[in-house]
Amino acid sequence: MQLLTLLNKKYAGYAREAFVKIQCVLNPQYTQKSHFLIFGRGRSGSTLLTNILNSSPHIYCDKEILNRPVVNPVQFIHNRASLFKSDIYGFKLLSYQLQSVQSVDKPKDFLRNLVETHGYQLLFISRTNLLRQVLSKRLAYTRKIWHQKTASVSPTKMKVDLNILLKNLQAGKMLEDFENNVIEGFPYMEVNYENNLSSPEKQLQLTDQLAEYLSIDPFEPNIKLKKISPTGFDDYIENHQEMIDFISKTEFSGYL
């Protein structure tokens, strides 16, 4: 099992890249009117945003197509886009993929190439509460459920390793700084989880903003995902009080 996981991480991207090239040869290629990418961290609502965008008949928003190494990321993006008959094509680019998965020496230049040369519009996905983001990721690993389409969730609670939590928060802050540095100077629309995605009312308002930004007709969001992280720490963390006491003495106390 570990060998299969290793092979998937190392070689699945190259296989996907080759398969897309073959598809381009065998099938018609399409040119969209415009393109966009969602840039940011996981557990910030990027899948929910993708779901909202795909509610529009004018848009095809792809998955994380660069989550495995490929030989030529820009060409792969171009080839992948050409397979879809839609007015607008977009995809998700999580910041860790740009930082450590793809062999990109200068991430800012990579993004500049997509924006200035290939005309990609930027949707910058963010989340204000770093603690909630880190805990959401840990809960997903614990439950082995990353996204859910039904309202029922596992009652499983998790025990948080406080030292690992602190390291994850520190790593999250570093990744946040990386994102802000990479995206600085580019025009973008920011989509914040708390401000734009945390309720149906906010999601409805967001669709109007997305339609305006992407120059398409207004559309209704068709949400197929359900929130799986409970609101209260005590609902899903065994040692929630211990965690609160610990975090309150760190630089991340403001996220409690």
Side-chain angles (χ1 to χ4, degrees):
M1 188 67 179
Q2 290 181 341
L3 178 60
L4 289 176
T5 301
L6 179 63
L7 290 173
N8 179 44
K9 286 184 177 181
K10 281 185 170 291
Y11 302 112
Y14 303 122
R16 183 193 298 163
E17 186 178 21
F19 180 66
V20 168
K21 284 184 179 180
I22 293 171
Q23 285 183 296
C24 288
V25 172
L26 298 179
N27 298 293
Q29 295 188 50
Y30 303 100
T31 301
Q32 288 82 23
K33 294 178 181 177
S34 61
H35 302 85
F36 68 89
L37 67 90
I38 300 170
F39 178 69
R41 269 166 294 163
R43 311 311 293 178
S44 294
S46 62
T47 299
L48 177 56
L49 177 56
T50 297
N51 196 220
I52 291 172
L53 287 162
N54 279 329
S55 300
S56 168
H58 300 287
I59 295 173
Y60 180 78
C61 186
D62 216 341
K63 54 190 176 182
E64 298 168 34
I65 62 175
L66 294 179
N67 63 345
R68 296 290 184 268
V70 297
V71 175
N72 189 331
V74 174
Q75 186 60 50
F76 175 61
I77 294 167
H78 175 74
N79 289 344
R80 178 76 179 174
S82 71
L83 298 176
F84 296 95
K85 189 178 181 180
S86 59
D87 293 332
I88 301 173
Y89 171 85
F91 70 98
K92 288 199 295 183
L93 175 61
L94 299 189
S95 48
Y96 85 91
Q97 297 162 6
L98 188 55
Q99 185 183 53
S100 58
V101 175
Q102 302 302 327
S103 299
V104 177
D105 294 330
K106 297 180 179 180
K108 196 175 187 75
D109 288 346
F110 178 83
L111 208 60
R112 179 177 291 108
N113 184 26
L114 289 177
V115 172
E116 296 181 358
T117 304
H118 298 279
Y120 273 77
Q121 293 177 271
L122 286 173
L123 293 171
F124 182 35
I125 185 83
S126 67
R127 186 164 183 170
T128 302
N129 195 309
L130 179 60
L131 176 60
R132 294 276 182 179
Q133 184 180 43
V134 168
L135 290 173
S136 175
K137 184 175 182 180
R138 177 47 50 196
L139 182 63
Y141 272 120
T142 300
R143 293 180 172 176
K144 295 181 173 54
I145 300 173
W146 290 91
H147 307 102
Q148 192 156 314
K149 296 184 179 181
T150 61
S152 61
V153 296
S154 168
T156 304
K157 288 189 177 184
M158 63 180 181
K159 185 172 183 179
V160 175
D161 185 310
L162 302 179
N163 291 320
I164 292 178
L165 175 61
L166 181 58
K167 290 180 180 179
N168 288 339
L169 287 167
Q170 291 167 339
K173 183 61 172 66
M174 291 177 63
L175 195 57
E176 181 181 294
D177 293 340
F178 168 78
E179 291 164 2
N180 289 329
N181 178 65
V182 168
I183 206 165
E184 183 182 8
F186 297 118
Y188 62 85
M189 174 180 168
E190 183 170 5
V191 178
N192 178 269
Y193 177 81
E194 286 85 353
N195 295 337
N196 305 117
L197 293 168
S198 57
S199 72
E201 293 77 20
K202 292 177 180 180
Q203 294 163 12
L204 186 60
Q205 292 175 356
L206 176 63
T207 58
D208 291 335
Q209 298 168 23
L210 290 168
E212 182 178 358
Y213 183 68
L214 297 173
S215 301
I216 59 173
D217 296 331
F219 61 96
E220 294 286 332
N222 181 19
I223 309 301
K224 300 177 182 178
L225 300 175
K226 301 294 181 182
K227 185 177 180 179
I228 64 172
S229 296
T231 302
F233 292 135
D234 58 330
D235 291 326
Y236 66 104
I237 299 174
E238 290 181 16
N239 56 331
H240 61 275
Q241 192 57 54
E242 183 186 14
M243 182 201 73
I244 291 171
D245 293 341
F246 178 80
I247 294 298
S248 67
K249 299 173 184 176
T250 72
E251 62 180 299
F252 304 103
S253 61
Y255 295 121
L256 288 170

